Amino acid sequence: MLENKKTILSSKTKTVEICRDNPTVLIGERINPTGRKVVLAALQEGNFELVRQDAIKQVEAGATVLDVNAGVPGADEVALLSQVIQEVMSVVDAPLCIDTANPQALEAALKLYEGKALINSVNGEEKSLETILPLAKEYGAAIIGLCMDDDGIPTTPSARLEVADKIIERATSMGIPIEDIVIDPLAMTMSSDHLAGALTLQTIKLIVEKYGVNITMGSSNISFGLPERKFVNATYMAMAIHAGMTCPIANPLVIEVRTTALAADLALGRDEYGMRWIKDFRTRKKNQ
């Protein structure tokens, strides 16, 4: 059996190990102005209190890594992302996933980050590989590799695996350890393609079987445009964890997200005597 790779992230004071042998790691998604008008408005005003509170609440709810995005239209992302990173680091010790498509903003954030960050993201496009991988190597960061390339998003599991092949080959040839490569097989919405969910699950299995690397995805993307999204998301998350996903990017404040991850870990034998499940239950009852 192929060894499950261990991706280690860190802040100044805390280390997180992502591995299929360990419990699922939740990457909190809420520090992102895309689709969250209240965050967008606050950042446009230079108000970082909401960012700080989002960071604290997500960690309290069970996120062990936080995704940080500062993509505000018209703003100086180089300065803004650096400021948001500093604000988050000032209130929580969780390792950070730096989420930007701007290489200059990424480098500025990596320069000030205290620890080993996760970069969100690189993909199979030549421009992306040529600009992001050298930064990951220089600053010792781990990367998320998206299964898309210059031809777009592949429509078969085998074609997405080929993109993962390309990213892993290019990254490792530069000296980036394979355990520092987390692959995102891309969860597309099932409202426009009823086969999208199954395709992604099959892709996860292929990548895990070949490489043993860690797997992430935006776990709520799958239900976009559908009613009762929380039920679709919870079911799909459990299935994806069983297939090999280790660190979904999700909202830990949604109880179905946190409990689904805990229940999946329990079912897969990653929660000895169910102690994490019981502890979470008691905490929820106490806070009601």
Side-chain angles (χ1 to χ4, degrees), residues 166-195:
K166 180 180 180 181
I167 294 170
I168 291 171
E169 189 280 325
R170 291 284 287 274
T172 55
S173 69
M174 292 182 59
I176 297 171
I178 190 170
E179 58 267 24
D180 284 349
I181 304 169
V182 179
I183 296 295
D184 183 342
L186 295 175
M188 310 305 291
T189 177
M190 295 187 295
S191 63
S192 59
D193 178 3
H194 70 284
L195 297 176

Side-chain angles (χ1 to χ4, degrees), residues 251-268:
N251 182 358
L253 275 61
V254 176
I255 189 171
E256 289 82 5
V257 168
R258 186 172 72 255
T259 54
T260 294
L262 288 168
D265 287 339
L266 177 61
L268 291 170

Side-chain angles (χ1 to χ4, degrees), residues 8-246:
I8 298 176
L9 307 177
S10 66
S11 64
K12 185 177 181 179
T13 59
K14 185 174 183 179
T15 297
V16 172
E17 295 184 353
I18 306 171
C19 181
R20 208 157 287 103
D21 300 323
N22 297 341
T24 301
V25 168
L26 290 179
I27 302 177
E29 70 178 8
R30 288 177 59 79
I31 304 175
N32 190 332
T34 304
R36 290 193 69 205
K37 293 182 180 180
V38 63
V39 177
L40 177 62
L43 291 179
Q44 286 174 328
E45 295 169 1
N47 181 353
F48 298 99
E49 179 59 25
L50 182 59
V51 164
R52 291 190 290 268
Q53 290 303 312
D54 269 339
I56 293 168
K57 289 177 181 177
Q58 287 185 102
V59 171
E60 290 177 344
T64 46
V65 178
L66 297 181
D67 187 84
V68 178
N69 182 298
V72 175
D76 178 358
E77 190 179 359
V78 175
L80 183 58
L81 180 60
S82 293
Q83 182 65 44
V84 173
I85 292 285
Q86 290 175 315
E87 296 292 342
V88 173
M89 289 194 301
S90 73
V91 292
V92 297
D93 62 355
L96 301 186
C97 176
I98 303 174
D99 186 353
T100 178
N102 183 324
Q104 290 74 36
L106 174 61
E107 183 166 20
L110 288 169
K111 282 182 178 179
L112 64 87
Y113 183 69
E114 299 174 325
K116 181 179 179 181
L118 178 62
I119 295 172
N120 188 7
S121 56
V122 67
N123 60 57
E125 297 175 359
E126 283 300 318
K127 181 180 179 180
S128 178
L129 294 167
E130 291 170 2
T131 56
I132 304 302
L133 291 183
L135 291 175
K137 174 62 177 175
E138 180 179 355
Y139 292 94
I143 58 171
I144 293 175
L146 304 183
C147 289
M148 58 181 291
D149 58 15
D150 292 291
D151 295 322
I153 300 174
T155 56
T156 66
S158 60
R160 291 190 190 181
L161 174 62
E162 289 178 3
V163 178
D165 289 338
K166 180 180 180 181
I167 294 170
I168 291 171
E169 189 280 325
R170 291 284 287 274
T172 55
S173 69
M174 292 182 59
I176 297 171
I178 190 170
E179 58 267 24
D180 284 349
I181 304 169
V182 179
I183 296 295
D184 183 342
L186 295 175
M188 310 305 291
T189 177
M190 295 187 295
S191 63
S192 59
D193 178 3
H194 70 284
L195 297 176
L199 189 159
T200 299
L201 293 176
Q202 292 164 16
T203 305
I204 293 173
K205 292 177 182 178
L206 289 177
I207 294 168
V208 170
E209 288 172 0
K210 186 169 184 178
Y211 294 109
V213 295
N214 287 297
I215 302 290
T216 189
M217 70 172 73
S219 59
S220 63
N221 296 349
I222 205 76
S223 66
F224 187 79
L226 294 171
E228 301 281 28
R229 292 185 66 187
K230 64 181 180 180
F231 298 114
V232 177
N233 291 343
T235 301
Y236 194 78
M237 177 182 282
M239 296 176 71
I241 291 171
H242 181 257
M245 180 173 68
T246 51

